[in-house]
Amino acid sequence: MSLLVNNAIIYANLLTLLAISLTITYITTSVPNFAQGSFAVFSSYFAYLMYTVFSFPTPYLSIPFSIAFGAVIGVSTYLLVLKPLIKKEASILILMIATLSWDLILFGLIGIFSESMSKLIKADASKFNFISLDFKLAGIKGILLSSTLAVVLSLALLFFLLYKTKFGVAMRASMENPSLAEIMGVNVETTRLFSWLLSGAFSGLAGALLPFLQETFQATGQMIIVSIFAASIVGGLSTIYGAILGGYLVGLSESLVTFWLSKVFGMSVLVYTKAVSLTILILTLLFIPKGLTSVNWRRYLWRWKP
């Protein structure tokens, strides 16, 4: 049972990082990025490449390279795909479809990358994991410690940037009202570009840690994008606090609820883990369309106060 809980926390940590990544770009450009999962998975493959080619003693040393690689993907997505369309005043629907198309392109590039890597390392690189390469500290899995630390440090960095720096103030201004921010002298274009760099970096971090939890293969990005969107929307797509809340709620629910259902209906239920996140997503859209952070919880707590 402790292994289940540990894995649930690890998954929730990684999902929270990816939900934050999605939320950051949505707030700045109002575009739901359907390629967010592929950002992470491509970074996973890059981490595997760095580990195998340079013979690092541990895949954890690949993390900085994956973060940089993810940042490059994020910037490339904005410059090559979204910026030209935004200049042409494309609708949100067109921009959303563009990210979906870009996801398919990234999926193809991941396939080419893995095939090329297989030839380079002379081994099958289509799927891999780092589970057997993890360490333990006082009986605790390294990925549990590192994924938790990654979330804590990422949030500390993000909130320091947004609330303690002038550039962060400019970012928040452009998030809340881009037109007014531009009038006040804020370079909205720079803040948008940086938000995609930051989003890609966070995805790269999550991608580097993902193989320590599960086997990674080319279509992993298409599988986890459902959970990423569910986490962001359930918490509240327009707030980072919502991404954190949704990430842990959906991440823990997927693992723990599915396990409980398997005890009742059999092990075949484990195949349908995404049904849990989809159910939570649908219920949220039906009853709390703006997410959990939009609810005035104090009012409800006051009503139930004895």
Side-chain angles (χ1 to χ4, degrees):
M1 189 65 179
S2 60
L3 178 61
L4 171 67
V5 174
N6 287 344
N7 286 343
I9 294 172
I10 296 165
Y11 178 66
N13 285 338
L14 300 182
L15 188 59
T16 297
L17 285 174
L18 292 170
I20 292 171
S21 302
L22 178 67
T23 299
I24 289 172
T25 51
Y26 179 79
I27 292 173
T28 53
T29 55
S30 300
V31 182
N33 181 20
F34 281 90
Q36 202 74 57
S38 292
F39 281 18
V41 174
F42 211 157
S43 299
S44 299
Y45 274 88
F46 192 75
Y48 185 50
L49 174 69
M50 298 303 294
Y51 167 69
T52 53
V53 170
F54 291 96
S55 302
F56 291 156
T58 172
Y60 282 108
L61 294 179
S62 300
I63 291 176
F65 300 97
S66 291
I67 292 174
F69 186 73
V72 170
I73 296 175
V75 169
S76 300
T77 301
Y78 180 72
L79 293 178
L80 299 177
V81 181
L82 297 176
K83 184 178 178 180
L85 291 173
I86 291 173
K87 281 187 175 182
K88 295 181 179 180
E89 299 182 350
S91 66
I92 296 300
L93 178 61
I94 296 298
L95 293 173
M96 183 176 66
I97 293 173
T99 66
L100 181 59
S101 302
W102 180 242
D103 181 52
L104 295 175
I105 292 172
L106 288 178
F107 177 66
L109 291 175
I110 291 171
I112 295 171
F113 188 89
S114 66
E115 290 295 326
S116 301
M117 188 164 59
S118 296
K119 295 178 181 178
L120 179 65
I121 65 175
K122 297 179 180 179
D124 182 23
S126 60
K127 54 184 178 180
F128 62 94
N129 68 75
F130 297 149
I131 297 173
S132 62
L133 302 171
D134 202 3
F135 67 92
K136 282 191 176 182
L137 184 63
I140 303 174
K141 292 170 65 175
I143 182 58
L144 177 60
L145 297 172
S146 57
S147 62
T148 303
L149 182 62
V151 173
V152 172
L153 292 180
S154 297
L155 289 176
L157 174 65
L158 185 58
F159 285 108
F160 177 80
L161 172 68
L162 292 176
Y163 294 97
K164 299 296 182 180
T165 66
K166 290 183 178 179
F167 184 75
V169 173
M171 276 192 73
R172 286 193 289 122
S174 64
M175 288 175 181
E176 294 173 9
N177 193 326
S179 301
L180 181 60
E182 204 159 17
I183 293 173
M184 298 298 292
V186 174
N187 190 329
V188 175
E189 182 63 28
T190 300
T191 60
R192 283 177 176 170
L193 181 62
F194 185 78
S195 70
W196 281 89
L197 181 147
L198 203 59
S199 174
F202 281 0
S203 295
L205 174 58
L209 296 174
L210 185 62
F212 286 100
L213 174 65
Q214 64 182 56
E215 187 172 66
T216 302
F217 50 95
Q218 296 168 15
T220 301
Q222 281 70 31
M223 294 181 66
I224 63 175
I225 191 63
V226 173
S227 302
I228 298 171
F229 266 93
S232 297
I233 293 171
V234 167
L237 194 53
S238 299
T239 165
I240 292 171
Y241 295 106
I244 300 168
L245 177 61
Y248 282 105
L249 177 61
V250 172
L252 292 173
S253 297
E254 268 195 34
S255 301
L256 300 180
V257 172
T258 305
F259 177 77
W260 176 78
L261 289 174
S262 71
K263 292 294 184 181
V264 179
F265 300 103
M267 298 299 290
S268 59
V269 173
L270 296 175
V271 180
Y272 303 101
T273 55
K274 301 305 174 187
V276 175
S277 53
L278 283 172
T279 301
I280 297 173
L281 174 60
I282 292 169
L283 290 174
T284 302
L285 291 173
L286 285 173
F287 300 105
I288 320 173
K290 293 184 179 180
L292 294 173
T293 51
S294 67
V295 178
N296 185 356
W297 295 105
R298 289 184 181 180
R299 182 179 64 183
Y300 291 100
L301 290 173
W302 179 261
R303 286 182 179 180
W304 286 98
K305 190 175 181 179

